[in-house]
Amino acid sequence: MHNPKHIVITGASSGIGAALALAYAAPDVRLGLSGRNQQRLEQLAAQARAKGANVVTATIDVTSRGAMNAWLQSLDAAQPIDLVIANAGISAGTGSGNETEQQIREIIAINVEGVINTVQPMIEPMVARGRGQLAIMSSLAGFRGFPGAPSYCASKAAVKVYGEALRGDLSYKGVGVTVICPGYVKTSMTEPNKFPMPFLMTAEKCAEIIKRGLARNKARIAFPFLPYFFVWLLSLLPPSLTDHLLAVLPKKAGR
Ligand SMILES: NC(=O)c1ccc[n+]([C@@H]2O[C@H](COP(=O)([O-])OP(=O)(O)OC[C@H]3O[C@@H](n4cnc5c(N)ncnc54)[C@H](OP(=O)(O)O)[C@@H]3O)[C@@H](O)[C@H]2O)c1
């Protein structure tokens, strides 16, 4: 959608979400921003207001289905939402051993159920209007299970496929759906990583690419090209050929 006027972004209190909020902030634009850290959210809101945007913030955990539903409905009632970016997410790996059950459940709850809690309430009103756009934050980690971060990869694969399937249905009803698959981005999520992160980019650059792709209603915004090509190829090759290679890759720390 070109020039969306009412944009909702979850996980806007830092990293990619914050950069997206500032990329969209402009006069005549209304931003609904959520996260859990109120202080960081308010700092960001002040920056967005300084760029002329009308900003509403909410400290809501995306796993709270009822709270997310009520918040989205109230925003939509104030002014129909044009674009929802389901961005909130967490990561963790197996660097310090195996994933704990608690870590797995937390990642799935936030990265998968949190996305559903963000997208689902908006489908009906957008379809009724025959207008709107849903953007789902996946990752290049969603193309193949990496031993260093099993539940993170699983969560990103789940929302990638969910978004692709939704698009096939909703595009005929006037609603765009885009799946976003970035490589390494410099945020608090990647800050603890002690291993080399090829093609690491800033959150600002990442937000620019996403904004451009969303304006074109792309089905998939996957970048940078070489890491994208690498994971795409990995997903095509038989596991018997790739398991050995993936087993020696460095692992992300656990939670
Ligand atoms: N960084 C990368 O390399 C990379 C690559 C591909 C995809 N991604 C994806 O991009 C998204 C943003 O990540 P980021 O790199 O920008 O990390 P980040 O700086 O850690 O930001 C994560 C955001 O998600 C919010 N969040 C986490 N759990 C939440 C919950 N339960 N309820 C509500 N908000 C919650 C955080 O809010 P609070 O801090 O206020 O809790 C924060 O605003 C994630 O989905 C991530 O998986 C990141």
Side-chain angles (χ1 to χ4, degrees):
M1 181 182 286
H2 287 283
N3 301 318
K5 293 295 179 201
H6 191 185
I7 302 150
V8 173
I9 305 170
T10 64
S13 56
S14 72
I16 300 170
L20 278 168
L22 293 178
Y24 280 108
D28 296 335
V29 169
R30 187 181 166 94
L31 294 173
L33 308 177
S34 78
R36 292 173 301 183
N37 186 304
Q38 188 169 10
Q39 196 184 354
R40 276 192 272 113
L41 207 50
E42 285 310 325
Q43 280 168 2
L44 173 77
Q47 286 176 271
R49 286 184 189 115
K51 294 183 81 178
N54 178 359
V55 186
V56 178
T57 62
T59 44
I60 304 179
D61 193 312
V62 286
T63 61
S64 304
R65 181 179 164 191
M68 284 298 293
N69 195 21
W71 181 58
L72 288 163
Q73 278 189 16
S74 72
L75 290 178
D76 200 51
Q79 181 181 324
I81 297 171
D82 296 317
L83 168 63
V84 173
I85 306 179
N87 165 73
I90 60 167
S91 75
T94 58
S96 52
N98 290 325
E99 287 188 302
T100 61
E101 183 170 338
Q102 189 189 341
Q103 174 177 309
I104 297 168
R105 290 188 184 282
E106 200 183 348
I107 287 179
I108 298 297
I110 295 173
N111 295 6
V112 180
E113 290 177 33
V115 166
I116 294 168
N117 292 342
T118 308
V119 162
Q120 199 61 29
M122 289 319 305
I123 292 178
E124 207 179 294
M126 284 185 173
V127 167
R129 292 194 283 271
R131 186 170 188 279
Q133 191 171 15
L134 303 166
I136 294 176
M137 184 58 79
S138 175
S139 165
L140 291 186
F143 282 77
R144 177 29 163 122
F146 290 86
S151 56
Y152 181 74
C153 292
S155 72
K156 293 302 175 182
V159 295
K160 172 177 166 288
V161 175
Y162 173 61
E164 288 165 356
L166 274 185
R167 181 179 173 96
D169 180 33
L170 296 182
S171 60
Y172 296 101
K173 299 171 181 164
V175 179
V177 182
T178 296
V179 175
I180 306 166
C181 305
Y184 289 117
V185 184
K186 199 169 164 30
T187 67
S188 59
M189 183 173 282
T190 48
E191 200 267 332
N193 293 352
K194 299 293 176 243
F195 47 83
M197 292 180 276
F199 301 94
L200 180 71
M201 69 169 63
T202 63
E204 290 71 26
K205 176 77 187 160
C206 172
E208 212 180 280
I209 294 170
I210 293 171
K211 189 179 169 190
R212 225 174 24 238
L214 288 177
R216 292 169 54 199
N217 188 26
K218 286 183 75 172
R220 176 187 295 166
I221 305 172
F223 56 96
F225 176 74
L226 276 179
Y228 175 33
F229 180 71
F230 175 71
V231 293
W232 175 79
L233 192 61
L234 273 178
S235 73
L236 297 182
L237 293 171
S240 55
L241 283 182
T242 55
D243 278 353
H244 302 294
L245 167 71
L246 298 185
V248 298
L249 288 180
K251 294 178 166 52
K252 190 175 176 76
R255 284 179 82 76

